[in-house]
Amino acid sequence: ELLLADGFTAQVLIKGMDTLRENDLFGYDVSGLYFDQIDDESARLIVNHELMNPMLATGFFGDMARMRKQIKTEQSAVGFTSLEVNRDGNRWVVNSAVAADKITADVSVPFDKPVNGKTKAKGTVANRSVIKTSWNSYLSTESVYQEYYGDIQYGTKSYVASRMQWESFVGESPYWYGCFVEADDTMEDYRKLTAPGRLRRGGVELAVKDGKAVLYSTDKRAGGCLYKFVSDAGDNLDNGEIYVADFENS
């Protein structure tokens, strides 16, 4: 039961596993949400899906054998979604005439610069926070990517397998995740940023000071640090310098 304060109402805009376009699905676990109003009657709703429950998505239980088609469905349910919503009287509704856009875990996402010779990664996962930049792009963080592809542990460098077991079927390295994913306002041009580094990012905020974009972010890992990236420019995050505040070991 959803309890609301007096004067508030609730409605369902869209549900988990609703079809968006082609085989893309609206996922669960809405961790990041950005309401970008276009005019008085329409807006763009940007949604991040950080985690998902395989039992709800594909019927998988922990003691069952994993199948490739399960992974494929789950990949289409996570990611970074853009919906157009319109006013209908005193409420908002999804405009079904305008195709939703989604960057899923099953598309190729290029890096803005090659990483050890690699130019693209398989999709985006664990998308948590989302903001709009002053140059009108959307910026999404990749957080607990170890749930999907495992991780190389800090310090020991040992590999720990994922809970979702995707790496057994997809074969991607966790090194390609934990990035900022930047998309233009059409969601058709997107890329992973390399200059700000990679980690299990939580919250994010952006400011422009003295002509330079300054990006603040947190590490979702327990005992993680606070990060500041100062771009060389005021309208992109292509190059710059990273600063780290370590509150436990300072």
Side-chain angles (χ1 to χ4, degrees):
E1 182 182 4
L2 177 63
L3 299 178
L4 299 172
D6 291 343
F8 288 87
T9 61
Q11 68 180 87
V12 176
L13 275 175
I14 191 168
K15 303 187 301 297
M17 303 308 285
D18 278 356
T19 300
L20 296 174
R21 65 172 185 180
E22 300 175 356
N23 295 318
D24 293 343
L25 302 169
F26 190 78
Y28 299 102
D29 193 27
V30 175
S31 292
L33 191 66
Y34 188 85
F35 183 81
D36 190 9
Q37 191 148 353
I38 300 169
D39 54 40
D40 290 343
E41 300 299 322
S42 61
R44 189 175 289 112
L45 195 63
I46 310 299
V47 185
N48 271 351
H49 306 283
E50 184 177 10
L51 291 169
M52 51 88 63
N53 188 330
M55 182 182 70
L56 298 176
T58 59
F60 170 74
F61 288 87
D63 58 350
M64 296 170 61
R66 270 305 222 170
M67 294 185 291
R68 184 175 296 276
K69 68 177 183 179
Q70 292 172 337
I71 308 300
K72 196 79 170 175
T73 298
E74 292 165 14
Q75 286 180 311
S76 70
V78 300
F80 181 17
T81 302
S82 173
L83 303 169
E84 183 171 313
V85 293
N86 300 122
R87 281 193 188 276
D88 180 15
N90 61 356
R91 64 182 191 138
W92 293 90
V93 296
V94 174
N95 186 347
S96 58
V98 177
D101 292 298
K102 186 170 185 182
I103 306 169
T104 71
D106 195 33
V107 299
S108 292
V109 181
F111 294 108
D112 62 346
K113 303 181 187 71
V115 180
N116 290 334
K118 188 174 178 69
T119 59
K120 59 187 177 182
K122 184 71 168 179
T124 180
V125 298
N127 302 82
R128 184 169 177 81
S129 299
V130 59
I131 60 173
K132 188 175 183 179
T133 69
S134 56
W135 50 94
N136 294 322
S137 64
Y138 300 115
L139 202 61
S140 174
T141 65
E142 292 181 318
S143 182
V144 289
Y145 56 84
Q146 78 279 3
E147 296 284 334
Y148 299 95
Y149 291 114
D151 202 6
I152 311 299
Q153 292 298 293
Y154 294 177
T156 66
K157 303 298 183 182
S158 59
Y159 176 75
V160 177
S162 74
R163 180 171 64 91
M164 300 291 188
Q165 304 173 34
W166 284 14
E167 67 270 32
S168 300
F169 296 87
V170 182
E172 283 290 270
S173 166
Y175 282 135
W176 314 136
Y177 303 93
C179 303
F180 283 106
V181 181
E182 184 176 23
D184 68 2
D185 58 3
T186 68
M187 297 286 282
E188 294 178 356
D189 183 18
Y190 45 83
R191 59 190 185 148
K192 293 195 178 196
L193 304 181
T194 55
R198 56 170 292 274
L199 58 134
R200 301 175 193 174
R201 295 193 190 273
V204 61
E205 191 53 78
L206 177 72
V208 177
K209 184 177 181 180
D210 299 328
K212 294 185 177 183
V214 183
L215 190 65
Y216 297 90
S217 61
T218 61
D219 189 344
K220 198 173 180 185
R221 179 178 61 94
C225 301
L226 180 66
Y227 292 80
K228 179 173 79 169
F229 174 76
V230 181
S231 176
D232 292 341
D235 60 355
N236 66 66
L237 301 167
D238 295 346
N239 298 283
E241 193 165 0
I242 300 172
Y243 300 82
V244 183
D246 185 344
F247 297 103
E248 289 195 352
N249 300 299
S250 58

